[in-house]
Amino acid sequence: MPEPFRFSSGHLAHTVADLIGVCHQSPQEVISYLKSGDFEKWLAYIGETEISKKVEELRKILFIEEEQLKQFIQVLQPPETSATETIETEQSLETPETTTIEEPETEQSLEKPKTSSIEKH
């Protein structure tokens, strides 16, 4: 059995699924390892060469850390992962939530729309 990926925080990743879990627990640490190319080496070591190549490409073209992390998780997700799970993953990594402030209702918006009725003969 291959050696797990060992994080300095003490987390261990034995599988790609474990690695996704650590992404949620320690995103800054994951970004550090992503930048250094360590994940590519470990993924190749455990036989995930296709994912390893995608991670290498991602590291070379993306420079915004948050975007790197989102794309990294997306690359790690199995193809059968639903779009909903991907969106939930991205939302859990976003910076603090923003709230939408709705404008107060005005008299005009409270008026009922005028409708015309057509009588049938």
Side-chain angles (χ1 to χ4, degrees), residues 81-100:
T81 300
S82 72
T84 303
E85 290 175 22
T86 302
I87 291 168
E88 288 171 359
T89 298
E90 289 177 1
Q91 288 173 345
S92 71
L93 295 170
E94 289 179 0
T95 50
E97 294 182 23
T98 57
T99 53
T100 304

Side-chain angles (χ1 to χ4, degrees), residues 5-10 19 22 26-40 55 59 72:
F5 190 94
R6 298 177 188 278
F7 292 84
S8 60
S9 63
L19 189 54
V22 177
S26 301
Q28 287 303 323
E29 187 176 16
V30 169
I31 289 171
S32 174
Y33 286 114
L34 182 59
K35 285 181 172 180
S36 69
D38 290 338
F39 289 135
E40 299 154 35
V55 171
R59 181 178 53 83
F72 177 61

Side-chain angles (χ1 to χ4, degrees), residues 60-77:
K60 290 179 179 180
I61 62 170
L62 291 176
F63 299 103
I64 299 171
E65 292 178 354
E66 292 79 15
E67 189 61 29
Q68 277 184 328
L69 184 59
K70 286 179 186 179
Q71 293 295 324
F72 177 61
I73 292 171
Q74 193 170 20
V75 165
L76 295 176
Q77 303 251 0

Side-chain angles (χ1 to χ4, degrees), residues 25-58:
Q25 295 170 0
S26 301
Q28 287 303 323
E29 187 176 16
V30 169
I31 289 171
S32 174
Y33 286 114
L34 182 59
K35 285 181 172 180
S36 69
D38 290 338
F39 289 135
E40 299 154 35
K41 295 171 194 164
W42 181 75
L43 288 163
Y45 165 71
I46 66 167
E48 297 288 351
T49 53
E50 187 174 318
I51 295 174
S52 175
K53 290 175 186 176
K54 289 178 182 179
V55 171
E56 180 182 12
E57 291 171 17
L58 180 117

Side-chain angles (χ1 to χ4, degrees), residues 96-112:
E97 294 182 23
T98 57
T99 53
T100 304
I101 300 173
E102 295 183 21
E103 294 184 30
E105 294 181 353
T106 62
E107 286 183 34
Q108 186 177 13
S109 66
L110 295 175
E111 290 179 15
K112 292 184 179 178

